[in-house]
Amino acid sequence: MTVTEKVSYIKGLADGLDLDKNSKEGKLFAAIIDALEDIALTVSDNSEHIDAVDEDLAALEDWVYEDDDCDGCDGCDYDYDDDEDEGVYSFECPHCHETVFFDESLCDDDDADLVCPACGAKLDRNSIFEIDDDEE
């Protein structure tokens, strides 16, 4: 039985008591039942929103974890060294020593701040992108 069904049942029980709605007790029961109905509708609406978010999250998880071979785990066949050919630089953060990846387009933007996604430390652009003067 859902919450709204339970509140409807309680409302039916109260109607069956045939309380005088002008008495103190009748007004109290009517107010309580009205509040219960509002709460039940809110819970029902929230449940629908939560279900929608859950479905969206499941779709996102499917998309993110779609290819289990590329997560960098032991036994992974993905060759991260090939990323350099695709314009991605791997770099070890000097602060947290995590391997992070930066897109080649960042080396074109001298004003962009480079921040380690693992620890949040600001990184030195020259130590990440070792570009020869001929390449510039």
Side-chain angles (χ1 to χ4, degrees):
M1 186 181 277
T2 66
V3 175
T4 51
E5 292 170 340
K6 289 179 182 181
V7 172
S8 295
Y9 176 73
I10 292 171
K11 186 175 183 179
L13 288 175
D15 288 343
L17 292 175
D18 199 26
L19 294 172
D20 180 14
K21 295 190 181 190
N22 294 326
S23 70
K24 292 179 184 179
E25 294 84 6
K27 288 179 183 179
L28 176 65
F29 279 116
I32 291 172
I33 291 171
D34 285 343
L36 286 174
E37 285 178 322
D38 290 344
I39 292 169
L41 291 174
T42 301
V43 167
S44 178
D45 288 345
N46 287 343
S47 294
E48 291 174 12
H49 291 296
I50 289 171
D51 289 342
V53 169
D54 187 47
E55 289 174 12
D56 292 344
L57 180 60
L60 182 61
E61 286 174 341
D62 288 344
W63 180 75
V64 169
Y65 299 114
E66 174 180 39
D67 189 359
D68 291 335
D69 291 336
C70 294
D71 63 358
C73 63
D74 293 337
C76 178
D77 293 336
Y78 187 75
D79 186 7
Y80 285 98
D81 293 332
D82 290 343
D83 284 342
E84 291 179 13
D85 297 336
E86 298 174 16
V88 176
Y89 292 91
S90 64
F91 176 76
E92 181 178 315
C93 175
H95 304 281
C96 67
H97 304 289
E98 288 288 325
T99 301
V100 294
F101 299 92
F102 289 102
D103 188 84
E104 182 179 35
S105 64
L106 291 175
C107 67
D108 295 335
D109 188 2
D110 293 334
D111 296 329
D113 288 334
L114 296 178
V115 177
C116 174
C119 68
K122 189 170 181 179
L123 301 173
D124 179 28
R125 174 180 305 281
N126 294 329
S127 63
I128 296 173
F129 302 112
E130 297 173 10
I131 300 174
D132 297 334
D133 290 335
D134 296 336
E135 290 181 19
E136 292 179 6

